[in-house]
């Protein structure tokens, strides 16, 4: 029998049994990762550089893009490395770091999505008070609260999880260090402390989800009273995808952390983990930002300027001539 003090590494779930499938999964994950990096990187750079996008909505989108970059960078690079090098190992410290940063980015992102729903509610339902309620100081305070919430929750869960004695081996049946899978390795009744934390956290998540739904219901009521059909279509086409992504994140996340053991299987756990940890950071740039004409214009302007600078670079002209 071993305990956590004697565990130096964990073994993650292999994504495939054959070498060909491992390489296929590597290239698939690499494509998703690069798409997420490109989309979120373009959005964050465009918002930071274009003064026309220095508004509360785009300030929150900048924070969301940074959190998405951190979230997907916490899980996929290690999974890709294991698939490429045909390994399963992750160090004890690396596993703890994954748990910490994953909870940090996911908690902060969900808090930010709640704030963004409030921002849209004020903008659409109380437009005359928008400048007062969403001034620069209020936006900075709310963003700081979202990031601070992520730090607090990640510290609680990481400390609680890795203080448990682990004597059921070191095999984590997931492609990253997921808390429910680590709890299965515990041999102590003290794991109930972490379960209580998970239930408490899930209650907060559900409460925020109710707040988001109520905000969007009020938004939809206001939108339906708009005389312009084009305005109604624009509002619905923007808000419904937002609500769909939030619903996917909440439902799959709560299912992953609170599902009964009878519903657990490696394939089901892997699918659910991909849905709540990989899909939202990858699709958020399309859902939240790239549907905005202002963001598209800013990105095109930035890319055009970069291409122009490259073409006008003297060294580039010399190499092109030769």
């Amino acid at each position: 029998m071993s305990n956590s003090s004697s565990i130096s590494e964990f073994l993650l779930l292999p994504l495939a049994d054959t070498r060909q499938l491992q390489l296929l999964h590597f290239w698939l994950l690499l494509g998703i990762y690069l798409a997420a990096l490109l989309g979120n990187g373009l959005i964050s750079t465009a918002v930071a550089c274009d003064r026309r996008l220095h508004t509360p909505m785009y300030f929150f989108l900048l924070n969301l893009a940074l959190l998405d970059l951190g979230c997907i960078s916490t899980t996929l690079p290690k999974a890709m490395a294991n698939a490429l090098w045909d390994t399963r190992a992750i160090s004890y410290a690396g596993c703890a770091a994954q748990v910490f940063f994953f909870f940090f980015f996911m908690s902060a992102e969900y808090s930010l999505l709640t704030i963004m729903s409030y921002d849209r509610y004020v903008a659409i339902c109380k437009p005359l008070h928008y400048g007062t309620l969403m001034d620069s100081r209020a936006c900075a305070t709310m963003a700081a609260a979202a990031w601070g919430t992520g730090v607090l929750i990640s510290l609680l869960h990481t400390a609680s999880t890795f203080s448990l004695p682990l004597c059921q081996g070191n095999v984590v049946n997931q492609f990253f260090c997921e808390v429910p899978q680590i709890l299965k390795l515990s041999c102590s009744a003290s794991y109930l402390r972490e379960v209580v934390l998970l239930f408490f956290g899930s209650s907060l998540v559900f409460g925020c989800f109710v707040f988001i739904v109520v905000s969007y219901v009020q938004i939809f009521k206001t939108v339906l009273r708009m005389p312009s059909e084009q305005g109604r279509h624009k509002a619905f086409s923007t808000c419904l995808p937002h609500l769909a992504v939030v619903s996917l994140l909440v439902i799959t996340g709560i299912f992953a952390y609170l599902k009964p053991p009878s519903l657990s299987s490696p394939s089901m756990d892997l699918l659910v983990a991909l849905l709540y940890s990989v899909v939202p950071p990858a699709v958020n740039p399309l859902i939240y930002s790239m549907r905005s004409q202002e963001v598209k214009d800013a990105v095109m302007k930035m890319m055009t300027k970069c291409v122009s600078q490259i073409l006008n670079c003297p060294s580039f002209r010399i190499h092109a001539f030769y």
Side-chain angles (χ1 to χ4, degrees):
M1 182 178 294
S2 61
N3 56 36
S4 57
S5 62
S6 64
I7 294 177
S8 61
E9 66 178 18
F10 293 94
L11 298 179
L12 299 177
L13 180 72
L15 295 177
D17 297 328
T18 64
R19 187 60 183 153
Q20 291 77 9
L21 285 177
Q22 285 177 340
L23 292 177
L24 177 62
H25 282 104
F26 166 76
W27 289 111
L28 178 62
L29 294 178
L30 179 62
I32 295 173
Y33 184 59
L34 291 178
L37 290 183
L38 178 63
N40 288 294
L42 285 175
I43 289 168
S44 57
T45 305
V47 173
C49 296
D50 196 322
R51 295 185 61 85
R52 294 174 300 174
L53 300 182
H54 292 179
T55 63
M57 181 178 71
Y58 293 113
F59 169 72
F60 293 133
L61 284 176
L62 168 62
N63 281 266
L64 181 66
L66 295 176
L67 290 170
D68 282 333
L69 285 172
C71 182
I72 202 166
S73 296
T74 300
T75 57
L76 282 196
K78 183 59 180 177
M80 289 188 295
N82 284 356
L84 181 62
W85 302 111
D86 191 20
T87 63
R88 297 173 57 190
I90 182 172
S91 67
Y92 187 90
C95 187
Q98 269 199 340
V99 169
F100 175 84
F101 285 110
F102 185 73
F103 267 102
F104 168 62
F105 289 119
M106 290 297 291
S107 301
E109 177 167 333
Y110 190 66
S111 300
L112 190 66
L113 291 173
T114 306
I115 294 170
M116 290 171 67
S117 70
Y118 174 73
D119 171 70
R120 291 298 85 205
Y121 165 76
V122 175
I124 295 176
C125 301
K126 299 180 180 295
L128 297 180
H129 301 283
Y130 187 77
T132 303
L133 295 175
M134 303 300 294
D135 60 8
S136 58
R137 183 174 182 179
C139 291
T141 300
M142 286 187 282
W147 289 80
T149 299
V151 172
L152 177 61
I153 292 178
S154 59
L155 283 174
L156 286 174
H157 283 287
T158 305
S160 176
T161 300
F162 288 92
S163 65
L164 297 173
L166 307 177
C167 59
Q168 301 294 329
N170 65 338
V171 178
V172 178
N173 289 318
Q174 191 54 270
F175 73 96
F176 67 99
C177 285
E178 189 182 50
V179 167
Q181 302 297 332
I182 298 175
L183 293 182
K184 293 179 181 180
L185 306 179
S186 175
C187 55
S188 169
S190 59
Y191 79 92
L192 292 175
R193 177 181 55 191
E194 175 61 19
V195 172
V196 171
L197 275 177
L198 290 176
F199 270 101
F200 178 71
S202 299
S203 300
L204 291 178
V205 167
F206 184 74
C208 291
F209 181 66
V210 171
F211 178 86
I212 292 172
V213 171
V214 171
S215 298
Y216 277 113
V217 168
Q218 296 300 318
I219 290 172
F220 293 153
K221 287 182 178 180
T222 303
V223 167
L224 289 174
R225 293 195 293 266
M226 288 181 177
S228 170
E229 182 178 352
Q230 183 179 1
R232 292 197 301 269
H233 175 74
K234 181 180 180 180
F236 278 120
S237 65
T238 301
C239 293
L240 286 177
H242 296 187
L243 193 56
V245 172
V246 172
S247 301
L248 175 67
L249 179 63
V250 172
I251 293 172
T252 54
I254 290 180
F255 181 79
Y257 282 79
L258 298 182
K259 67 180 181 299
S262 59
L263 296 179
S264 181
S265 68
S267 57
M268 174 66 75
D269 293 345
L270 177 61
L271 176 61
V272 171
L274 288 171
L275 288 177
Y276 80 82
S277 66
V278 175
V279 173
V283 302
N284 275 344
L286 296 175
I287 297 297
Y288 283 93
S289 302
M290 288 306 183
R291 296 167 63 89
S292 169
Q293 190 60 45
E294 291 176 315
V295 175
K296 290 179 182 178
D297 293 341
V299 170
M300 289 301 299
K301 179 182 177 181
M302 180 181 64
M303 295 179 67
T304 302
K305 183 177 180 179
C306 289
V307 172
S308 177
Q309 290 178 345
I310 292 174
L311 294 177
N312 291 329
C313 178
S315 60
F316 177 85
R317 290 199 299 266
I318 292 174
H319 288 298
F321 177 77
Y322 284 105

